[in-house]
Amino acid sequence: LNNIIYGNNLCGLKLRQQSNPNIIGNEIRSNGESGIKTKWNCNALISDNSILNNPSGIYNRDLCSTVIIRNLFNGNGSGIVLEDSSPIIANNTIVNSGGNGIAVWHGSYPEIENNIFYSNQIGISADGAPVTLSFNNFHNNSSANLLGGGLPDEIGIISTENSNGDPSDQYSNIFLNPEYVDVENFVLSSNSPCIDAGNPESILDPD
């Protein structure tokens, strides 16, 4: 809780072997491998952290059902990498990744909801099959917003409107400038299309 974890040769934090820690309110930056690596049935809560400038922000693998909520991922090689795991990923801001905002590899079935993907190379790359991929915002991802054979049918095709009246795909994903007050703190302006655009039934969405 409320630590600065930086400059380690390997991972900032490694969580494993059926542990269930709460990782909350930390700054985790500039480590040699992942900012956080989870493996072997670790079911952590990773919440309200700033995860910055690591080769991968979180590497979640080996049957982990991690809950990853309300974190800022900025400047990592990839924001989140999933391998044989099924986490909940909600209400995160994932920006400036040199590779994928989220990479969903084989055997992974995450729930991905209410996140912002901004200025990554690729928003989400999915070989695995997300169970939920909805109510997210994708903007200014240089190569692709969405890529891979594991994605739901018709995702990314504008076909309807969300509850704010903004154009969306059938999963309520939008593709609009999030309109940050500034692009250092990533605080949304009062007229951001992301406000009230999350899943209204989600307990993780206070709007």
Side-chain angles (χ1 to χ4, degrees), residues 119-139:
S119 290
N120 306 287
Q121 182 177 0
I122 298 170
I124 296 176
S125 175
D127 294 323
V131 173
T132 303
L133 184 45
S134 58
F135 295 95
N136 301 287
N137 185 38
F138 300 85
H139 183 71

Side-chain angles (χ1 to χ4, degrees), residues 165-178:
D166 289 321
S168 71
D169 65 15
Q170 68 184 40
Y171 306 97
S172 296
N173 297 298
I174 59 175
F175 302 84
L176 300 171
N177 188 335

Side-chain angles (χ1 to χ4, degrees), residues 94-111:
I94 303 175
V95 301
N96 299 322
S97 303
N100 303 294
I102 298 178
V104 183
W105 292 357
H106 55 82
S108 295
Y109 305 96
E111 299 177 33

Side-chain angles (χ1 to χ4, degrees), residues 50-63:
S50 293
I51 302 174
L52 316 171
N53 301 317
N54 304 282
S56 60
I58 295 176
Y59 185 7
N60 193 73
R61 58 175 295 182
D62 297 337
L63 306 177

Side-chain angles (χ1 to χ4, degrees), residues 175-188:
F175 302 84
L176 300 171
N177 188 335
E179 298 188 23
Y180 293 114
V181 173
D182 65 74
V183 292
E184 292 184 3
N185 297 317
F186 299 99
V187 175
L188 296 173

Side-chain angles (χ1 to χ4, degrees), residues 83-159:
E83 181 180 2
D84 293 313
S85 62
S86 300
I88 295 171
I89 302 172
N91 298 82
N92 300 284
T93 299
I94 303 175
V95 301
N96 299 322
S97 303
N100 303 294
I102 298 178
V104 183
W105 292 357
H106 55 82
S108 295
Y109 305 96
E111 299 177 33
I112 302 173
E113 187 174 81
N114 301 347
N115 303 283
I116 299 174
F117 298 85
Y118 177 78
S119 290
N120 306 287
Q121 182 177 0
I122 298 170
I124 296 176
S125 175
D127 294 323
V131 173
T132 303
L133 184 45
S134 58
F135 295 95
N136 301 287
N137 185 38
F138 300 85
H139 183 71
N140 200 40
N141 299 295
S142 60
S143 294
N145 289 315
L146 296 152
L147 184 69
L151 296 169
D153 292 340
E154 307 297 319
I155 195 166
I157 298 174
I158 301 300
S159 58

